[in-house]
Amino acid sequence: MPRYARAERDALADLFLALGPDAPTINEGWATRDLAAHLVLRERRPDAAGGIMLPPLRGYAERVRLRLAAQPYPDLIDQVRNPPFWSPVSNRVTDELANMMEFFIHHEDVRRAGSGWQPRDLPVGLQAALWKRASPMARLTLRRFPADLYVQAPGHGELSVGRGGEPLRVVGAPAELVLFLSGRQRVARVQLDGPPEAIRRLRTASLGM
């Protein structure tokens, strides 16, 4: 089975080292050191990782993340590259399921914060795997959007979602749809067809988990 999670992890670790700790990311307020510390927390600190999703735990999670970010940068990136075997999200059983999309998205968070970037020419298998994740993401994040939405990935599939109303079409490669649906609309290369006001609302909507 292809190990896309491993490939994206290694590529991101290489990019972290190439750019250094203070390079921008598209995550507001975070430089590369901050994003790397987030990834280490997620894999190595289950006591704090719940704060990524649960508001009552966010203060504690942020304190842990800042302590992780304060360590020497090469050590931090080594921890990104080499997750512990016991990690609930990064062991041999869970790695591809839990990390393929996580590391793809964060790899692009760093790539697309720079100038002159272009979408990568991704393997067909990775695009197909991303479409499998994009479909449930779309159903979850867009289910209450006030339009009759059609999400299309040419060559992979399409779905309809939304609360109904004027038709609005979102078309792109699976990788671009994953970025769009995870709240990264401003850097996702998708085509939106529909009423201008509906397009504006979708481009500025708070998407993602």
Side-chain angles (χ1 to χ4, degrees):
M1 184 178 71
R3 299 185 65 195
Y4 298 122
R6 180 74 253 180
E8 291 297 307
R9 179 191 297 274
D10 285 339
L12 177 55
D14 290 344
L15 187 57
F16 276 148
L17 291 176
L19 295 177
D22 301 314
T25 77
I26 68 167
N27 308 103
E28 186 175 355
W30 278 7
T32 41
R33 179 190 294 276
D34 300 295
L35 178 54
H38 159 80
L39 292 168
V40 172
L41 179 148
R42 175 179 171 271
E43 293 185 315
R44 294 173 178 265
R45 291 297 301 268
D47 61 312
I52 296 171
M53 299 292 293
L54 301 175
L57 300 177
R58 283 179 186 166
Y60 174 63
E62 180 63 4
R63 290 192 295 273
V64 172
R65 190 191 66 79
L66 289 172
R67 288 198 296 270
L68 291 168
Q71 64 186 301
Y73 188 65
D75 294 346
L76 182 66
I77 304 311
D78 185 68
Q79 291 170 56
V80 172
R81 191 186 299 274
N82 299 295
F85 71 90
W86 49 262
S87 173
V89 296
S90 303
N91 59 65
R92 289 185 179 182
V93 175
T94 62
D95 185 48
E96 197 67 19
L97 179 64
N99 290 321
M100 182 270 292
M101 193 166 70
E102 178 82 7
F103 278 86
F104 167 77
I105 289 173
H106 288 316
H107 186 189
E108 295 300 321
D109 284 344
V110 180
R111 287 188 71 251
R112 299 188 185 206
S115 61
W117 64 267
Q118 291 293 328
R120 287 181 286 156
D121 185 13
L122 298 174
V124 173
L126 177 54
Q127 292 279 19
L130 289 168
W131 173 245
K132 289 182 180 179
R133 308 294 177 85
S135 300
M137 281 178 71
R139 296 188 189 282
L140 179 63
T141 61
L142 300 176
R143 68 191 185 283
R144 296 180 180 174
F145 192 83
D148 193 5
L149 277 161
Y150 298 90
V151 180
Q152 298 179 323
H156 295 274
E158 63 179 271
L159 59 91
S160 61
V161 68
R163 289 192 318 200
E166 294 183 287
L168 177 58
R169 195 173 303 276
V170 185
V171 183
E176 302 302 316
L177 292 172
V178 162
L179 293 169
F180 189 91
L181 294 166
S182 64
R184 292 151 172 87
Q185 295 101 306
R186 69 182 178 89
V187 297
R189 298 280 180 87
V190 301
Q191 177 182 338
L192 300 180
D193 296 316
E197 178 58 20
I199 289 175
R200 184 195 67 77
R201 291 184 64 181
L202 185 56
R203 284 203 179 276
T204 58
S206 179
L207 302 180
M209 301 296 292

